Amino acid sequence: MKYIIFIIFTVMTNAAAQLMLKQGMMSMGPVSFEGVNPLVKLLQIVFSPWVFLGLCTFVISMASHLYVLSKVELSFAYPFLSLAYVAVAIFAYFVFREDLNGWRIAGIACICVGTVLIAQSGREMGGRGHEDQTASINPDKIGISEIVR
């Protein structure tokens, strides 16, 4: 559980990136590739300030996630990313005035309950590297029958 801060950082930077991308796309208006070189249009989108900032924030989020994956089990860390949906839905309600109806609130509650259940089962790798997690076989104890198989 000592890596929970990094997991929450990953979740929040992921959510922040989504909000920045939304702001960027809203500021650009409806996107159309009609009558324009698609590559030029794509570059205009990518290098618009909010979209570019959102993409950079995704890179930070991914770097944090990679660090987390080096420390905890994937089956523990990955479900926490669903909390980004919770954060995005709540912030989108306040920032963009998006709908937050009963169904969405129920879904958010399910995500939160599921994440809490997963957090209760969490195990760190205890300082072991990935190479130690693979089946550790002592070569001295391998018999001829195992080699032949």
Side-chain angles (χ1 to χ4, degrees):
M1 287 298 275
K2 67 182 179 179
Y3 297 105
I4 200 74
I5 298 297
F6 293 103
I7 292 172
I8 298 301
F9 178 78
T10 300
V11 168
M12 295 311 291
T13 52
N14 187 304
Q18 287 293 334
L19 295 168
M20 290 177 211
L21 292 173
K22 175 65 175 175
Q23 179 61 44
M25 295 312 294
M26 285 175 45
S27 67
M28 293 192 75
V31 175
S32 172
F33 289 95
E34 189 173 312
V36 65
N37 183 335
L39 182 59
V40 171
K41 187 64 173 181
L42 183 62
L43 290 173
Q44 286 176 340
I45 292 169
V46 167
F47 289 105
S48 67
W50 280 109
V51 172
F52 188 75
L53 188 58
L55 293 173
C56 290
T57 304
F58 259 134
V59 170
I60 293 167
S61 179
M62 185 55 63
S64 175
H65 188 59
L66 291 172
Y67 174 75
V68 167
L69 291 179
S70 76
K71 302 296 182 184
V72 301
E73 294 177 345
L74 177 62
S75 60
F76 174 75
Y78 189 68
F80 278 92
L81 291 180
S82 65
L83 292 177
Y85 173 78
V86 175
V88 166
I90 292 169
F91 283 115
Y93 173 78
F94 289 109
V95 175
F96 301 122
R97 303 286 182 224
E98 291 187 5
D99 188 30
L100 194 57
N101 59 38
W103 287 108
R104 289 185 185 177
I105 292 170
I108 287 169
C110 289
I111 290 170
C112 291
V113 168
T115 304
V116 167
L117 292 174
I118 290 167
Q120 296 302 314
S121 71
R123 292 190 325 234
E124 297 169 11
M125 292 193 302
R128 298 180 339 201
H130 289 291
E131 63 278 354
D132 292 339
Q133 286 184 337
T134 58
S136 64
I137 300 172
N138 185 345
D140 298 333
K141 295 187 179 183
I142 297 177
I144 292 294
S145 62
E146 283 91 15
I147 294 173
V148 172
R149 275 195 264 172

